[in-house]
Amino acid sequence: MKHLFKPRTLKWILALLIIVLLIKLIWLAVEIKLLPTAGVDQAEEVGGKSLYYRVDLSPNKVPTPKKMENKVVGSIKDIELLAVYNAADTTVITVMYKGKSKVLSRGEEINGFTLEGAGSHFATFSKKGKMYKIELIKSKTAPGSGSSITASSNAASESTNGVEGEIIDAGDHKIISKSLLDHYAKNMDDIYKNIGIADVKKGNKLVGFKVTFVKRGSPFAKLGVQRGDIIKSINGQEINSYNAAFNVYKNIGNVQNLTLVILRGKEEMELEYEIN
């Protein structure tokens, strides 16, 4: 049988293979020794989206606080301010709303607005955390010393040039026409065109209201009150605060008789009126 390779040639081939194998082993050992211990990840380019989120690393901006509660944001168009009195412990105003006058003290509401306070020529209301301000269009102060009621001369009010009704002297009392009383109940401006009043105090206590002037020929002159008279009570209710005075005014249309207790000089006297 004839051999394909000679024994000597086969030995050279085996030796060559062994040398190549040794070289491969040595090279593998060198790679393991010289390469870094931590592997390097290479991103594999694929068709999908990268999984990352955008993060705003800029400094946070502190929002400026909004002062909504204490800011006066506007006036109340449907409400007109006719008269206002403001003191340290008392705030009373008269407003016109839907053609009718109404007296309000601090904390009372009209059309959802709550009266919070007032100044000499304005009143402030609150509604749903916001503040509203109503100005007197034009104002005047009743003459005389002490605090006084301020009344507007708003042309939009229901004041009329002529006052219907009369006052009749019945001897021991006077008869006031109901129409006359109704007119003054709806038109406070006309009151202060004809009569002026100012509060009278003893110390810090209000004890009445002093008549500072009466217009000659006016219905108030026919009532029998005179300049210098101090009104002490009306229908048994002491007029010792503006709230008390305005409460009488607020209910004046519902009474049939009026009794005024006044102090004239040093004499206390009663004035009787019948509403007819």
Side-chain angles (χ1 to χ4, degrees):
M1 184 175 181
K2 189 177 180 178
H3 296 282
L4 295 175
F5 300 99
K6 293 181 179 181
R8 189 172 181 178
T9 303
L10 183 60
K11 288 181 181 180
W12 278 105
I13 291 172
L14 289 174
L16 183 60
L17 291 174
I18 291 171
I19 292 171
V20 172
L21 180 60
L22 288 173
I23 291 172
K24 286 286 186 181
L25 292 173
I26 292 170
W27 178 253
L28 180 62
V30 171
E31 283 185 340
I32 294 173
K33 187 174 182 180
L34 295 180
L35 288 177
T37 57
V40 177
D41 294 333
Q42 295 182 353
E44 186 176 1
E45 295 183 0
V46 293
K49 295 182 179 180
S50 301
L51 297 177
Y52 68 91
Y53 299 94
R54 291 184 179 180
V55 179
D56 186 6
L57 299 179
S58 60
N60 294 330
K61 296 181 179 180
V62 180
T64 303
K66 297 180 179 180
K67 299 179 180 180
M68 295 298 295
E69 291 76 14
N70 297 325
K71 185 178 179 181
V72 177
V73 298
S75 61
I76 310 169
K77 295 181 180 179
D78 296 332
I79 302 174
E80 296 177 352
L81 187 60
L82 300 181
V84 58
Y85 173 78
N86 184 46
D89 56 347
T90 305
T91 297
V92 182
I93 67 170
T94 302
V95 297
M96 180 71 70
Y97 176 64
K98 291 185 176 181
K100 296 182 179 180
S101 61
K102 185 175 181 180
V103 179
L104 300 173
S105 57
R106 186 178 298 174
E108 291 187 330
E109 291 186 2
I110 184 169
N111 194 28
F113 295 89
T114 303
L115 177 63
E116 297 291 348
S120 58
H121 303 293
F122 66 90
T124 55
F125 292 78
S126 66
K127 185 176 183 180
K128 295 182 179 179
K130 295 181 179 180
M131 297 297 294
Y132 297 81
K133 184 178 180 180
I134 301 179
E135 296 275 357
L136 286 172
I137 295 177
K138 187 178 180 182
S139 63
K140 63 181 180 178
T141 303
S145 59
S147 301
S148 59
I149 300 175
T150 304
S152 78
S153 58
N154 186 359
S157 70
E158 293 187 348
S159 297
T160 59
N161 293 327
V163 180
E164 296 181 357
E166 58 182 353
I167 299 175
I168 301 173
D169 191 346
D172 60 342
H173 68 284
K174 297 181 186 297
I175 301 174
I176 304 174
S177 297
K178 184 71 163 57
S179 59
L180 182 64
L181 199 65
D182 289 341
H183 173 83
Y184 285 115
K186 294 178 181 178
N187 299 279
M188 177 170 272
D189 281 354
D190 285 354
I191 296 176
Y192 295 103
K193 292 175 183 177
N194 296 305
I195 189 171
I197 60 172
D199 56 24
V200 179
K201 293 184 177 180
K202 286 186 177 180
N204 294 325
K205 185 179 179 181
L206 195 152
V207 294
F209 288 88
K210 184 177 182 178
V211 178
T212 57
F213 79 93
V214 181
K215 185 177 180 180
R216 184 177 300 176
S218 69
F220 289 91
K222 297 178 183 179
L223 288 177
V225 293
Q226 300 176 10
R227 180 179 179 180
D229 288 349
I230 297 175
I231 302 172
K232 304 283 290 183
S233 70
I234 300 176
N235 282 3
Q237 180 178 347
E238 291 186 2
I239 309 301
N240 53 11
S241 70
Y242 272 86
N243 276 333
F246 273 87
N247 282 334
V248 172
Y249 174 79
K250 183 164 54 175
N251 299 311
I252 197 70
N254 300 322
V255 300
Q256 295 181 344
N257 295 281
L258 282 173
T259 300
L260 270 63
V261 175
I262 65 171
L263 183 64
R264 181 172 293 171
K266 295 182 179 180
E267 180 184 359
E268 189 173 276
M269 55 191 303
E270 290 186 355
L271 300 178
E272 299 283 346
Y273 305 97
E274 176 185 347
I275 312 301
N276 191 358

